[in-house]
Amino acid sequence: MAKKPVPFDAHWDLEGVDVVANWRYPLILPYITQSPSFIAVTKKHRGLKVPRAELPKDEKLVFEVAKKFGLLNVEYGFDDFFNIKWWNTTGKHLYGTKHAIPDIEQKLVKAGQTQTVKVTSEESPTIVLQIPTNLTATEAISRIRQIFYINRELFNVEFGTPLPAKYDSEYKLEPSKLRKDTVIKGASAIAMYREGMPLWKIGNQLKISPDHLIKDSDLDMDQDKLAEHKRVLSIMALRLVKTALLIAENAARGRFPLDKPFPQAKLKSYKRPAGRPIGSRRPKRISVTEFKSF
């Protein structure tokens, strides 16, 4: 089962670069390095023979991204340690800004104390709040919503305004409707598929369909029911692998996380031969060709 990634971030006051914490950052490398386009381009860079058909038409773009990300001369397939090291040396500088991003600040004022709060609002107006601790979190949040509404409607204060261009980073996470579960499990699905793991086992290990999970004790179940479970798991796993490959191909071009199809994407590099796995003696009950290839 794919483990949940620990969000990566960076703090301007400590590192000279600011990145808001996000769970997607730890998945950038696993996706880029499993992209068929990335693998072909970096192999060619290392002097290995690569068939022309495996190289993408936008080879130059993939090469430039690999170069900027510092991945030209290293093997793909990284562990967590390498991923963290890459983020600290390279990633945070690509996705971060050299200016401190405006954020909420707080100061606890004890009963009977008097405190002076210094507000620096270089980029936009700032609302200063006083929140007594006798309020519950729910009550406080409700009051804050009312404050937002009053300032927006009566004083024309705009919330969510974009930051100035000086805050732009070289790369940004793409707006995406992909489910978190899909993005997390997708990287693992590609790795398993590349290793030749049967699709139903990929679906089973990643628990893609809880209603069709197969335990070791279930292998003796009715063969028709077992075949149906494997069929459903195979269909869902292949769907996940296809989506993950598109995410990987987009990532190799600096677009993450995005599953948008595009002509240059290499989606057939991991194509498997049709037919049943070698050594299977069970009579063929369903057509598995469509589940084993692109």
Side-chain angles (χ1 to χ4, degrees):
M1 180 177 177
K3 58 184 178 180
K4 295 181 180 179
V6 178
F8 284 168
D9 60 9
H11 301 279
W12 181 84
D13 54 345
L14 297 175
E15 302 162 81
V17 62
D18 219 351
V19 184
V20 177
N22 197 296
W23 60 267
R24 295 171 179 83
Y25 290 129
L27 294 168
I28 293 172
L29 227 57
Y31 271 105
I32 289 180
T33 55
Q34 294 191 96
S35 154
S37 293
F38 168 87
I39 293 172
V41 169
T42 52
K43 278 184 176 180
K44 179 182 176 181
H45 172 74
R46 294 197 300 271
L48 300 176
K49 188 175 181 179
V50 180
R52 182 61 207 169
E54 293 183 14
L55 291 168
K57 292 182 179 179
D58 56 351
E59 177 183 345
K60 183 177 180 180
L61 172 60
V62 177
F63 178 87
E64 287 301 320
V65 170
K67 183 179 180 180
K68 284 186 178 180
F69 280 63
L71 302 173
L72 282 177
N73 298 307
V74 291
E75 290 290 342
Y76 48 87
F78 303 117
D79 56 21
D80 290 340
F81 176 78
F82 190 97
N83 204 1
I84 294 172
K85 181 180 178 182
W86 172 83
W87 174 256
N88 287 323
T89 58
T90 306
K92 67 184 182 182
H93 298 288
L94 294 172
Y95 287 88
T97 171
K98 293 182 179 180
H99 297 273
I101 300 173
D103 199 3
I104 294 174
E105 296 185 14
Q106 61 86 27
K107 180 180 288 187
L108 177 63
V109 181
K110 295 181 180 180
Q113 280 188 335
T114 300
Q115 290 273 8
T116 300
V117 179
K118 183 179 180 181
V119 178
T120 56
S121 54
E122 297 178 359
E123 309 301 345
S124 61
T126 299
I127 295 176
V128 181
L129 301 176
Q130 175 181 290
I131 305 175
T133 57
N134 64 297
L135 292 176
T136 66
T138 300
E139 290 170 337
I141 292 170
S142 177
R143 305 280 205 286
I144 291 171
R145 286 199 183 99
Q146 291 174 8
I147 291 169
F148 271 53
Y149 177 80
I150 291 170
N151 280 277
R152 185 176 64 245
E153 299 300 322
L154 298 184
F155 303 109
N156 297 318
V157 175
E158 294 184 20
F159 295 94
T161 55
L163 289 169
K166 70 178 184 179
Y167 287 93
D168 289 346
S169 55
E170 187 168 2
Y171 289 91
K172 293 181 180 181
L173 294 174
E174 296 284 339
S176 173
K177 294 183 179 179
L178 286 165
R179 293 174 61 247
K180 182 176 182 179
D181 197 50
T182 299
V183 180
I184 292 175
K185 292 181 177 180
S188 297
I190 298 178
M192 295 175 187
Y193 193 81
R194 288 177 56 217
E195 292 172 359
M197 183 181 289
L199 283 167
W200 74 266
K201 285 190 176 181
I202 296 175
N204 199 54
Q205 188 164 323
L206 295 177
K207 298 182 179 180
I208 292 176
S209 178
D211 293 336
H212 296 88
L213 292 181
I214 301 172
K215 302 176 183 177
D216 291 340
S217 58
D218 293 334
L219 295 177
D220 295 328
M221 72 166 62
D222 175 78
Q223 292 299 297
D224 287 328
K225 184 177 180 181
L226 181 62
E228 175 62 14
H229 280 219
K230 289 184 177 181
R231 186 185 74 84
V232 173
L233 289 169
S234 295
I235 292 173
M236 297 183 72
L238 181 59
R239 186 181 304 154
L240 177 61
V241 169
K242 285 184 173 181
T243 298
L245 274 173
L246 274 173
I247 297 174
E249 285 292 275
N250 276 284
R253 289 147 177 93
R255 307 184 295 260
F256 180 83
L258 203 63
D259 64 338
K260 182 180 179 180
F262 58 100
Q264 297 84 5
K266 292 290 183 179
L267 303 178
K268 297 185 178 181
S269 297
Y270 299 148
K271 183 176 180 180
R272 295 181 178 179
R276 298 181 60 77
I278 296 175
S280 176
R281 297 180 180 179
R282 176 172 166 73
K284 189 173 182 180
R285 292 177 179 269
I286 58 173
S287 173
V288 297
T289 302
E290 59 181 308
F291 307 132
K292 294 211 169 189
S293 66
F294 295 111

